[in-house]
Amino acid sequence: MKQKQNRFVTLLREIWKAKYLYLLLIPFLAWLIMFSYVPMSGVVLAFKKFNARLGIWGSEWIGLKHFQRIFITPAAVEAIKNTITLSLQRIFWEFPAPILMALLITELRGDRLKKVYQTIFTFPHFISWVVVSQLLTVLFSDAGGVNMLLSSLGFDKIAFLADGEFFKSMLFITANWKEMGWAAIVYMAAIAGIDPTLYEAASIDGATRLKQIWHITLSSLKPIIAIQFILKVGGIMNAGFSQIFNMRNAAVKSAVQIIDSYIYDITFGAKPDYGFSTAVGLFKSLINFALLLFANWLVGRMTGEKMFSFKKEKVKKEVMK
Amino acid sequence: MRNHLQPRVKNKHKKWTGLDLFTFVVLTLVVIAVLIPFWNAIVISFTTNSAYVDQPFSFWPKEFTWANYILLLENAGGLLIGYKNTIIISVIGTVAGMLVMVMAAYVFSREFPGKRFFFLATIFTMYFGGGLIPTYLNLKSLDLLNTHAGVILLTLCSVYHIIIMKNGFESTPKDLQEAAMIDGATDMTIFWKVMLPLQKPLIATFSLFTFVDLWNDWYWPMLILTDNKKVVLQLYLRTIINSVNSMLEGISVSEDAAALDAFGAGMQMAALLVVILPVMCVYPFLQKYFVKGIMVGSVKM
């Protein structure tokens, strides 16, 4: 009993000691509550028949009806399918590119050249998809530069932006164009941290540079690759809304209709149903969250590296005595 | 076999090997691929529309003209409003956001009762959110629709940035903090007098990130800023692109060629370049700060 009381007093004392820390945290917590947790509580809309007059909390409960509707709405099912296939394709086409790029830049001769190239590679990350989509549309449209070159060389024109399959390849190419250089930095930082004596030892043993890249560089990159992979898998339900929203046109709309763009379309469409839109969004978030937990667990088992752990860290209580 | 005794670093001054050449050629091709769309935009913005339609891709303007830029400036109302609004939002958003984020990042780098709870509650929002409609309705109930304050508040903090800055704070030597504590400094003094000055580079870097994010923001501004006077630069660009596209579709061949000459891809590209110009001008000089920033906390999350 006395021990319990002592612990409580210690806790109070610790809290009092940290009073300024709490004070510094308050603005952020206020923001987090107002702009993350209050909207989050708005997901109850997914279980209600929304009535603008009654508001979120006054509207009538209808249980899981919206969720049942998702699975009998062909457009919604199609959007879910598209999202998953497109994300998997993205992992295949977009995940390895920055790793390769980091390896190549590290091997590039000349520090000046390295710097200039890196500046160029990373720049597109800092312009919006609004801009990028237009830069690329003007090159790849039917009357654009690339098709002009193709036809002047005697080839048929290609409907890069009007054919669903070509458009998807354009998504992968342009996403790499924009983000590859930036994403490579994380790997380059990891490469810079590798112990140089490893390479020296390998040289002495007669390992070629390619072998060194494979056995030392790539194997040292394993943990960071794993972490990046978690982030990718965790984001599988996000198939690149900004890009698709800015690049799509009427001809390819259905081929690249992902969950996010579907939600946008039905929300701002002819007959908006806020409850249903929210239900689709919630469905997406839940799967996303589950995937992230699964990926975190999986990579943790593989490499012993986890992004975050839900288990409590052991605090040395002995010090307190 | 003596060769093998030489460490890898010494290879620097040696002859170019096949691997060196391969690396150079591949990366140079990628550099060209990255630059072409920008160069293409610049060329088109200085080309008359008839020359553009005739030959949409050339390395140099076939018929050089300033007309696209002149037209853009003549109708610059929207552009100037967009510039003004974007600057307001980016500056206020960066200052306010950084203040809140740096304070939070510092607190999370320290130990205190309840840290785990608050930190998990923060991370959780990275992966789970209310979604489009609840967020919109929340803004509406706060009376923030169609206001710049709404845009700023909505994107005020980035949890991702907070985590990286927290790692940055954690990696600073503890001695100074401890010394200050022994001298009787409060956490508040340590934060303002010790940590902030020490972490200036980190704070500068993330201010840049935040600024650019705000500069490029278009999604929520598009949804909540309905008043033409409140539009931001990216929205202005979207309108120009859409209106030029629809105008081009609507114009028949017989119509006044001059109108077509002025409103075309050339003007789109001119508008686009004017929007990214500030970023384009400063990026080469600030690039190293951006890179440093992402390296601070990226290895360990």
Side-chain angles (χ1 to χ4, degrees):
Chain A
M1 182 68 196
K2 203 180 173 198
Q3 216 176 7
K4 234 180 195 172
Q5 209 178 353
N6 273 343
R7 212 183 278 168
F8 182 67
V9 171
T10 323
L11 182 69
L12 275 186
R13 202 173 287 151
E14 270 181 64
I15 290 177
W16 179 246
K17 242 173 76 188
K19 57 185 179 297
Y20 290 116
L21 294 180
Y22 293 112
L23 203 63
L24 288 170
L25 195 60
I26 281 175
F28 172 69
L29 287 182
W31 176 83
L32 196 69
I33 291 167
M34 278 319 293
F35 292 94
S36 282
Y37 279 93
V38 170
M40 214 185 279
S41 71
V43 297
V44 294
L45 206 54
F47 308 96
K48 292 187 164 208
K49 188 173 166 31
F50 183 66
N51 181 327
R53 198 169 44 82
L54 299 171
I56 293 181
W57 297 101
S59 295
E60 180 200 343
W61 291 96
I62 56 160
L64 294 170
K65 279 225 179 83
H66 287 313
F67 290 92
Q68 289 166 343
R69 245 181 81 199
I70 296 176
F71 299 102
I72 53 164
T73 310
V77 175
E78 195 59 29
I80 293 168
K81 269 195 212 153
N82 278 344
T83 306
I84 294 168
T85 24
L86 198 59
S87 284
L88 293 176
Q89 287 171 318
R90 271 186 194 279
I91 290 181
F92 184 80
W93 292 111
E94 294 168 21
F95 187 71
I99 303 173
L100 286 175
M101 175 149 237
L103 293 177
L104 284 171
I105 296 179
T106 335
E107 294 297 322
L108 187 68
R109 296 279 285 264
D111 288 343
R112 271 296 270 294
L113 197 65
K114 241 184 216 179
K115 237 175 223 166
V116 173
Y117 274 23
Q118 220 194 334
T119 307
I120 296 170
F121 290 143
T122 49
F123 177 67
H125 172 77
F126 292 95
I127 50 179
S128 68
W129 274 113
V130 178
V131 171
V132 176
S133 76
Q134 204 48 30
L135 279 177
L136 297 158
T137 306
V138 89
L139 266 175
F140 288 97
S141 68
D142 196 47
V146 175
N147 271 321
M148 180 208 92
L149 286 178
L150 281 178
S151 53
S152 71
L153 291 172
F155 295 104
D156 285 339
K157 281 189 173 183
I158 297 174
F160 291 108
L161 303 175
D163 175 275
E165 283 311 306
F166 269 115
F167 186 78
K168 274 192 194 172
S169 338
M170 288 303 296
L171 290 180
F172 309 139
I173 293 170
T174 56
N176 272 327
W177 180 87
K178 187 173 185 294
E179 300 297 341
M180 175 169 68
W182 183 250
I185 292 177
V186 177
Y187 300 110
M188 290 179 61
I191 292 174
I194 298 174
D195 181 3
T197 55
L198 286 176
Y199 292 104
E200 283 163 30
S203 287
I204 292 166
D205 290 344
T208 60
R209 241 163 104 195
L210 273 177
K211 272 198 170 151
Q212 292 178 21
I213 294 172
W214 181 258
H215 290 292
I216 303 172
T217 317
L218 264 179
S219 78
S220 311
L221 284 181
K222 257 194 226 156
I224 189 84
I225 291 176
I227 291 173
Q228 296 300 313
F229 194 74
I230 296 179
L231 291 172
K232 275 274 184 228
V233 173
I236 228 169
M237 297 304 271
N238 302 312
F241 172 75
S242 292
Q243 180 189 24
I244 290 172
F245 185 78
N246 280 298
M247 279 178 70
R248 69 179 180 178
N249 54 54
V252 294
K253 205 169 182 176
S254 62
V256 294
Q257 183 75 300
I258 55 169
I259 299 175
D260 288 320
S261 57
Y262 174 68
I263 294 174
Y264 180 90
D265 288 347
I266 57 171
T267 307
F268 298 98
K271 270 190 275 167
D273 180 342
Y274 284 7
F276 182 63
S277 299
T278 310
V280 180
L282 180 60
F283 175 76
K284 182 201 132 181
S285 295
L286 287 175
I287 293 187
N288 208 8
F289 193 60
L291 274 171
L292 182 90
L293 290 183
F294 176 70
N296 186 37
W297 170 82
L298 191 71
V299 175
R301 291 209 51 169
M302 269 165 23
T303 65
E305 288 270 340
K306 270 194 190 182
M307 208 171 71
F308 52 82
S309 154
F310 284 103
K311 284 194 192 109
K312 198 164 185 171
E313 287 161 48
K314 276 178 192 159
V315 183
K316 282 175 192 158
K317 287 274 180 204
E318 287 78 17
V319 186
M320 299 298 299
K321 280 178 189 170
Chain B
M1 285 290 114
R2 262 203 88 60
N3 248 352
H4 291 143
L5 288 172
Q6 294 191 331
R8 189 170 175 271
V9 243
K10 290 230 174 109
N11 280 345
K12 253 186 179 170
H13 302 291
K14 289 207 133 186
K15 257 199 332 201
W16 279 50
T17 61
L19 190 65
D20 289 326
L21 196 69
F22 173 78
T23 317
F24 178 74
V25 170
V26 171
L27 286 179
T28 307
L29 287 177
V30 180
V31 161
I32 293 171
V34 170
L35 290 179
I36 281 178
F38 292 108
W39 182 245
N40 184 51
I42 294 171
V43 170
I44 292 173
S45 77
F46 286 112
T47 308
T48 58
N49 203 56
S50 51
Y52 168 74
V53 171
D54 198 35
Q55 190 188 338
F57 187 79
S58 61
F59 283 105
W60 202 251
K62 233 176 120 193
E63 285 171 32
F64 186 88
T65 178
W66 284 98
N68 297 315
Y69 286 94
I70 291 169
L71 195 81
L72 190 66
L73 290 177
E74 275 172 1
N75 302 303
L79 180 70
L80 292 180
I81 291 172
Y83 248 100
K84 192 193 79 189
N85 289 338
T86 297
I87 290 173
I88 291 175
I89 289 179
S90 304
V91 170
I92 298 179
T94 305
V95 174
M98 281 308 289
L99 192 68
V100 176
M101 283 194 279
V102 167
M103 292 194 305
Y106 170 67
V107 174
F108 283 135
S109 76
R110 299 280 310 271
E111 292 299 328
F112 61 93
K115 171 182 167 172
R116 235 179 72 80
F117 169 77
F118 290 124
F119 194 58
L120 279 182
T122 304
I123 289 186
F124 184 65
T125 61
M126 272 173 99
Y127 302 106
F128 194 84
L132 181 62
I133 292 156
T135 309
Y136 185 86
L137 292 177
N138 181 43
L139 283 175
K140 194 177 171 186
S141 69
L142 292 169
D143 228 359
L144 288 171
L145 288 186
N146 209 7
T147 62
H148 290 161
V151 176
I152 291 171
L153 282 170
L154 197 62
T155 46
L156 192 72
C157 297
S158 147
V159 170
Y160 186 67
H161 286 179
I162 291 179
I163 292 174
I164 297 181
M165 284 195 282
K166 163 192 170 273
N167 292 343
F169 278 124
E170 273 170 356
S171 65
T172 48
K174 295 268 180 273
D175 322 7
L176 272 172
Q177 273 192 70
E178 278 162 14
M181 255 182 237
I182 290 165
D183 287 346
T186 61
D187 290 328
M188 207 59 121
T189 339
I190 291 173
F191 174 65
W192 289 107
K193 296 271 162 70
V194 181
M195 289 312 264
L196 279 195
L198 266 180
Q199 291 293 352
K200 258 188 215 152
L202 185 77
I203 292 166
T205 302
F206 279 90
S207 305
L208 282 177
F209 275 117
T210 311
F211 192 86
V212 174
D213 281 350
L214 286 163
W215 190 273
N216 286 334
D217 196 15
W218 58 274
Y219 182 60
W220 278 102
M222 175 183 81
L223 295 181
I224 67 176
L225 299 176
T226 43
D227 185 347
N228 276 338
K229 291 257 172 281
K230 292 191 171 150
V231 148
V232 295
L233 214 43
Q234 301 286 337
L235 290 185
Y236 164 78
L237 187 63
R238 269 187 71 87
T239 346
I240 287 262
I241 290 166
N242 292 338
S243 67
V244 171
N245 282 346
S246 56
M247 202 180 293
L248 283 179
E249 281 161 20
I251 285 176
S252 59
V253 199
S254 61
E255 245 175 284
D256 189 12
L260 199 88
D261 211 32
F263 275 86
M267 185 169 160
Q268 279 187 9
M269 292 301 117
L272 184 152
L273 288 167
V274 168
V275 169
I276 62 171
L277 195 69
V279 183
M280 239 175 161
C281 290
V282 297
Y283 185 68
F285 305 102
L286 298 178
Q287 189 251 0
K288 63 174 182 211
Y289 296 103
F290 283 111
V291 172
K292 227 180 257 166
I294 199 173
M295 285 185 177
V296 170
S298 53
V299 182
K300 188 196 122 209
M301 278 290 275

